[in-house]
Amino acid sequence: MTNELSMKNITKNFGAFQALNKVDVTVQKGEIHALLGANGAGKSTLMKILCGAYDEYEGKIYKDGEEISISSPKEAKSHGIGIVHQEVDVALIPSLSVAENIVLDVQASNKSKTFVNWKSIYKKAEEALSLLGSSLSVKKNVVDLTLSEKQQVLIARAIVQNVDYLILDEPTAPLSVEETKQLFSVMRELKKSGVGIIYISHRLQEVVDICDRLTVLKDGRYVATKETSHTSIEDVITLMLGTSSVKQWVKKSVEIGNELLHVEALSLPGRLSNISFHVKEGEVVGIAGLVGAGKTELCRSLFGLEQYVSGSVRLKGKKLKLNKQPYYYIAQGLSLVPEERRKEGIFVHESIADNLVLPSLSRFTNYSFLKRGKIKEKAQKTTGQVGVKSHS
Ligand code: ADP
Ligand code: MG
């Protein structure tokens, strides 16, 4: 009997919407197994089931050939299953320290001790972080961390749990190249020690480099399981999209027009100095730099989210005022998709429609009344255009 963790025939409904339809996936001990699929394919939902986030679903889960029941996080942990969630903020307690967040799970299930041994907590947390090549201070509060540091805390938390199976849901998205390399070396170590890893990522080159096998989902259904050594990136894309015309994703040539945005000598005390660039109509301009280089601050400075910005910014030839509130920049025609979407980009408890129209609410009101019909119509159109997967 091989040592493996197996999900069979998993079906999950959210109300009338079927997020998963009879999905199978099996990960062996000592294997790195990629779980792939386009946005909305059901990857996170499947993994949430495996770590006990949902108690209502159909299908069975087997560990080493024996059926096990998983309907709570506690049960999942008792079977040696750990997860690093995709949405970093949901899994951390901001007002606690790095160390406390790292040992949270082991501490919570540690019934034998009444007193907290801070020395051992700090030591454990430091060890886990140093494995990741992180020099993060364990006494810092999580609320003060950057996104990539928060991700390191979550990965460290998984490491201290000594799990048999580890799920990593898009862990490298906020990490730098160096941090990613370090994570991969940790994954290889865990693999050597017999841990089975399920790895979700959209960076297909990474997947092919580090994973042994991959399973592809599409629209909540199982598509295929392959050995990565016999699979090309193009094969994977074809499986994910269900079409062999990868060509449709090739860059289309666009007429480059007049200058739209002109930034001159933009500075932010202590963070940015003398940044100049411009963007023309029809252009996509990339901003590159290591973590901490100032990319995020540059965007925030252009959008009124930093203070004491100096320099000159022109939009379509018109000089913009600096250090105004974001609504001023929105009215001028700028838009920002922030780094931490859940925390900075949306109101999670409000509907998709309300979130979409919020920055331009004045166009959807009649005196002080909301035009619900118009809002709904706009939301349907926009979600269709950008391919948002949702059932209402
Ligand atoms: P992936 O991780 O592959 O991008 P998800 O598992 O997050 O996909 O989502 C699969 C589908 O299930 C999506 O259409 C999503 O909108 C829906 N979904 C996920 N979680 C919920 C939920 N808690 N309630 C309702 N629908 C959900
Ligand atoms: Mg997901």
Side-chain angles (χ1 to χ4, degrees), residues 107-302:
Q107 202 68 17
S109 53
N110 185 350
K111 293 200 191 79
S112 60
K113 300 231 175 70
T114 318
F115 296 101
V116 174
N117 182 344
W118 286 104
K119 230 171 128 183
S120 90
I121 285 177
Y122 288 133
K123 188 158 165 269
K124 212 180 243 164
E126 266 161 10
E127 279 170 7
L129 285 171
S130 77
L131 266 181
L132 289 168
S134 163
S135 53
L136 193 57
S137 155
V138 293
K139 293 191 178 167
K140 246 184 155 177
N141 271 348
V142 159
V143 69
D144 298 320
L145 304 187
T146 65
L147 182 59
S148 111
E149 289 170 337
K150 286 177 190 167
Q151 185 66 286
Q152 289 169 11
V153 172
L154 279 187
I155 297 167
R157 180 194 287 172
I159 289 175
V160 299
Q161 288 177 54
N162 292 324
V163 291
D164 297 329
Y165 293 96
L166 177 60
I167 303 156
L168 298 168
D169 195 348
E170 299 202 30
T172 56
L175 298 186
S176 69
V177 178
E178 267 317 302
E179 289 163 344
T180 302
K181 272 192 198 154
Q182 199 67 37
L183 173 64
F184 286 174
S185 80
V186 172
M187 284 166 68
R188 291 200 179 96
E189 284 304 313
L190 290 171
K191 173 182 152 159
K192 249 190 249 164
S193 67
V195 175
I197 299 175
I198 299 182
Y199 181 70
I200 300 179
S201 171
H202 286 287
R203 301 190 194 173
L204 299 181
Q205 187 62 52
E206 272 180 19
V207 166
V208 176
D209 287 347
I210 194 166
C211 297
D212 302 291
R213 292 190 302 157
L214 57 90
T215 291
V216 178
L217 304 185
K218 182 175 184 294
D219 299 330
R221 289 168 193 268
Y222 172 88
V223 177
T225 299
K226 304 265 180 198
E227 309 250 335
T228 48
S229 55
H230 297 110
T231 315
S232 70
I233 290 184
E234 209 159 290
D235 294 340
V236 176
I237 296 175
T238 305
L239 291 170
M240 282 170 59
L241 302 177
T243 153
S244 53
S245 59
V246 175
K247 284 204 191 78
Q248 64 174 326
W249 301 95
V250 170
K251 194 164 89 179
K252 292 201 185 82
S253 65
V254 172
E255 276 301 301
I256 303 296
N258 297 327
E259 186 177 275
L260 267 183
L261 180 70
H262 188 99
V263 177
E264 188 83 48
L266 192 83
S267 294
L268 176 67
R271 298 296 296 126
L272 305 170
S273 105
N274 249 324
I275 315 263
S276 302
F277 66 96
H278 62 266
V279 184
K280 291 178 177 169
E281 285 171 28
E283 242 185 357
V284 179
V285 175
I287 308 220
L290 296 174
V291 167
K295 306 182 297 291
T296 304
E297 285 87 346
L298 174 60
C299 299
R300 291 171 55 89
S301 296
L302 291 172

Side-chain angles (χ1 to χ4, degrees), residues 346-365:
I346 55 169
F347 293 96
V348 270
H349 294 297
E350 305 302 330
S351 68
I352 295 174
D354 287 353
N355 268 285
L356 279 178
V357 301
L358 209 56
S360 46
L361 206 52
S362 56
R363 286 198 268 136
F364 298 92
T365 49

Side-chain angles (χ1 to χ4, degrees), residues 14-15 17-20 37-46 48 54 86 169-170 200 202 217 220 389-391:
F14 291 109
F17 175 76
Q18 191 163 60
L20 295 171
N39 269 328
K43 307 176 297 293
S44 292
T45 304
L46 188 65
K48 282 181 188 164
Y54 298 124
Q86 178 173 17
D169 195 348
E170 299 202 30
I200 300 179
H202 286 287
L217 304 185
K389 284 263 168 152
S390 82
H391 32 100

